[in-house]
Amino acid sequence: RCRLFFGSGPLPPLAPPVRCELVLSEIMRHPMCEWFIQPVDVEGLGLTDYRSVVDRSMDLTTVQRQLKADRYTTVESFAADVKLTFDNCIKYNGANSMFGVVAALVSQAFERKCTTYISLGAQHPPRTGQPVPDREGWPSFSQKKKFYDACTKLSLVDLNHIVKLVHKSCSGALQHNGDKEVELDVDNLDMETFKKVFNYAKQQIQKLEPAS
């Protein structure tokens, strides 16, 4: 699994709500997140005791809708609702159940992403509002942002192929976290490799677009 991020340099100059949107969009693409996207179908699943166990139901689509409507006044309130989605699952199904274990894993992934996109921005005020300095001969911040946006539309197979391309020509931009997770630091991609993976991403997106 590939996690794409702007690595050791300053974080993108994004306001907290936009950072929250980035975190939420990434976590909703998590391969184990499918159970948490939509509200629990209490009636359809016959969960007659659900409402007596769960005080306030929550799901990621509801969080997304409330985030877009500016219902969250703080980052903490946004994070609390995301966490509530997973906590409810653990509370109802049990921590040792299949659902509970998956909920805990996705919740941990969410916390890591919060640290990357939200918490670090708050802990380092001098970075706020300052874009990553463009370096001659390297991808610009604007180009990296477009690449990031393109990657949000790709499948897991496509992302894995991008990792393979980077590994061949710019392996220093990859960091392996265990056997199943790879971090791709876009700031460390040289221009030749960047063009290669960006062109691949655009080609894959074009294949998904309906023919006119």
Side-chain angles (χ1 to χ4, degrees):
R1 189 162 58 88
C2 171
R3 291 176 61 227
L4 183 69
F5 74 111
F6 294 89
S8 57
L11 296 173
L14 304 175
V18 182
R19 293 184 190 275
C20 291
E21 289 178 8
L22 280 173
V23 172
L24 186 61
S25 64
E26 280 206 12
I27 207 66
M28 290 176 79
R29 292 194 306 276
H30 192 288
M32 292 189 291
C33 199
E34 59 180 314
W35 294 330
F36 313 107
I37 302 295
Q38 300 295 335
V40 174
D41 185 4
V42 177
E43 284 73 23
L45 295 173
L47 307 179
T48 56
D49 60 341
Y50 186 83
R51 292 190 175 89
S52 64
V53 176
V54 173
D55 298 324
R56 185 167 73 92
S57 60
M58 186 54 61
D59 62 273
L60 298 185
T61 296
T62 297
V63 173
Q64 185 179 56
R65 184 167 58 249
Q66 295 187 158
L67 184 61
K68 290 181 178 179
D70 294 326
R71 300 284 177 81
Y72 296 114
T73 57
T74 65
V75 170
E76 289 75 16
S77 61
F78 155 76
D81 269 2
V82 175
K83 288 280 292 177
L84 180 62
T85 301
F86 309 125
D87 290 345
N88 284 345
C89 179
I90 295 171
K91 183 178 182 180
Y92 183 76
N93 295 285
N96 295 323
S97 68
M98 177 181 66
F99 297 104
V101 170
V102 170
L105 289 173
V106 182
S107 182
Q108 290 168 11
F110 169 71
E111 290 179 357
R112 290 198 300 271
K113 293 180 189 300
C114 277
T115 299
T116 300
Y117 288 105
I118 300 175
S119 300
L120 286 180
Q123 293 169 10
H124 301 280
R127 294 177 173 181
T128 304
Q130 296 295 324
V132 177
D134 289 342
R135 297 171 291 175
E136 185 176 355
W138 290 74
S140 66
F141 174 80
S142 176
Q143 289 173 315
K144 288 182 286 187
K145 181 62 171 62
K146 289 178 181 178
F147 175 59
Y148 178 90
D149 291 340
C151 285
T152 64
K153 303 174 184 177
L154 297 179
S155 68
L156 185 59
V157 172
D158 291 334
L159 291 174
N160 285 336
H161 185 71
I162 284 177
V163 170
K164 292 178 181 178
L165 292 175
V166 174
H167 182 71
K168 289 181 179 179
S169 58
C170 191
S171 60
L174 297 176
Q175 178 179 337
H176 295 268
N177 295 328
D179 297 329
K180 297 183 179 179
E181 185 170 270
V182 178
E183 292 182 349
L184 170 54
D185 186 346
V186 183
D187 285 340
N188 286 333
L189 284 179
D190 58 68
M191 182 59 82
E192 181 180 353
T193 304
F194 178 83
K195 287 182 178 179
K196 188 183 301 182
V197 295
F198 194 12
N199 287 336
Y200 171 79
K202 290 188 289 187
Q203 289 171 4
Q204 297 308 110
I205 292 173
Q206 288 176 355
K207 292 179 182 179
L208 299 175
E209 296 176 348
S212 55

